[in-house]
Amino acid sequence: ATVSATGRKSTIGFGSIEEGANERDREDIQQYNIVTNLNLGKLLPPKWGINLPFNYAIGEEVITPEYDPFNQDIKLEQLLDDTTDQAQKDNIKNRAIDYTKRKSINFIGVRKERAPEQKSHVYDIENFTLSQSYNQVERHDYEIEDYEDELSNSSVNYAYTFQAKEVVPFRQ
């Protein structure tokens, strides 16, 4: 099993020494990604010969701008401070934030392994490889109020190799 995690945080005004004030970041960025890979077949009895690779990934990114996207000469914090109605404050903040969340669940290459002493047949279950994946993306920003994309893919692969028969032409 493997687990990999990454994170990133960048704040308003972040930049190198050589950059001027107008060249530096004008947004707060928070991001993380987690990816796991497991072979769930290892949890089953070895004599079953099941290969069941599982992958799960999740990631989120939140970008909060320094200035309101609709009124680009007004700082977002100043606009929020000047707004008294809490519902309107929440709406202003929610529409300004660029938010993206990705989720992925995959079973790719699921198969039953052939035992060494087992003879190969055309109809064996070991000739099939199954895959299933599910991906989901949720996002919103100042132009998109609510976006959700879901994609599910399934596949079945069949592979059988016939026994080779030697053919020698002109043999007596």
Side-chain angles (χ1 to χ4, degrees), residues 28-86:
D28 280 335
I29 300 173
Q30 297 175 12
Q31 181 183 44
Y32 75 87
N33 291 301
I34 299 170
V35 178
T36 62
N37 292 301
L38 305 165
N39 187 353
L40 298 177
K42 300 279 184 187
L43 302 175
L44 302 172
K47 67 179 180 180
W48 290 3
I50 303 292
N51 185 18
L52 187 61
F54 172 73
N55 170 277
Y56 177 76
I58 187 167
E60 216 169 354
E61 181 180 54
V62 179
I63 301 173
T64 307
E66 181 177 14
Y67 292 91
D68 180 45
F70 291 101
N71 306 299
Q72 295 185 357
D73 57 342
I74 300 174
K75 288 193 175 191
L76 183 59
E77 284 300 318
Q78 179 185 350
L79 182 60
L80 292 171
D81 291 343
D82 293 345
T83 306
T84 55
D85 182 32
Q86 187 60 41

Side-chain angles (χ1 to χ4, degrees), residues 68 70 76 80 83 85-97 140 145:
D68 180 45
F70 291 101
L76 183 59
L80 292 171
T83 306
D85 182 32
Q86 187 60 41
Q88 192 174 6
K89 246 186 206 187
D90 293 342
N91 183 35
I92 291 169
K93 187 167 186 172
N94 192 43
R95 74 176 188 203
I97 291 175
H140 67 77
E145 184 177 344

Side-chain angles (χ1 to χ4, degrees), residues 139-167:
R139 72 178 310 252
H140 67 77
D141 61 19
Y142 76 97
E143 293 178 322
I144 300 170
E145 184 177 344
D146 188 27
Y147 172 85
E148 189 168 319
D149 182 32
E150 292 183 3
L151 178 64
S152 183
N153 288 321
S154 299
S155 70
V156 177
N157 185 25
Y158 175 84
Y160 177 74
T161 305
F162 290 94
Q163 294 293 342
K165 290 195 177 191
E166 186 177 330
V167 176

Side-chain angles (χ1 to χ4, degrees), residues 8 18-19 27 34 45 53 87 98 105 113 142 153 166 169-170:
R8 175 181 171 216
E18 295 86 23
E19 292 178 332
E27 56 201 15
I34 299 170
D98 185 345
I105 300 171
E113 300 295 335
Y142 76 97
N153 288 321
E166 186 177 330
F170 309 113

Side-chain angles (χ1 to χ4, degrees), residues 114-160:
R114 188 177 321 278
E117 68 280 351
Q118 187 179 2
K119 188 176 177 192
S120 177
H121 297 96
V122 172
Y123 51 82
D124 287 341
I125 193 76
E126 290 86 359
N127 297 334
F128 291 93
T129 303
L130 309 169
S131 296
Q132 171 68 38
S133 69
Y134 172 78
N135 298 298
Q136 180 184 34
V137 177
E138 299 173 24
R139 72 178 310 252
H140 67 77
D141 61 19
Y142 76 97
E143 293 178 322
I144 300 170
E145 184 177 344
D146 188 27
Y147 172 85
E148 189 168 319
D149 182 32
E150 292 183 3
L151 178 64
S152 183
N153 288 321
S154 299
S155 70
V156 177
N157 185 25
Y158 175 84
Y160 177 74

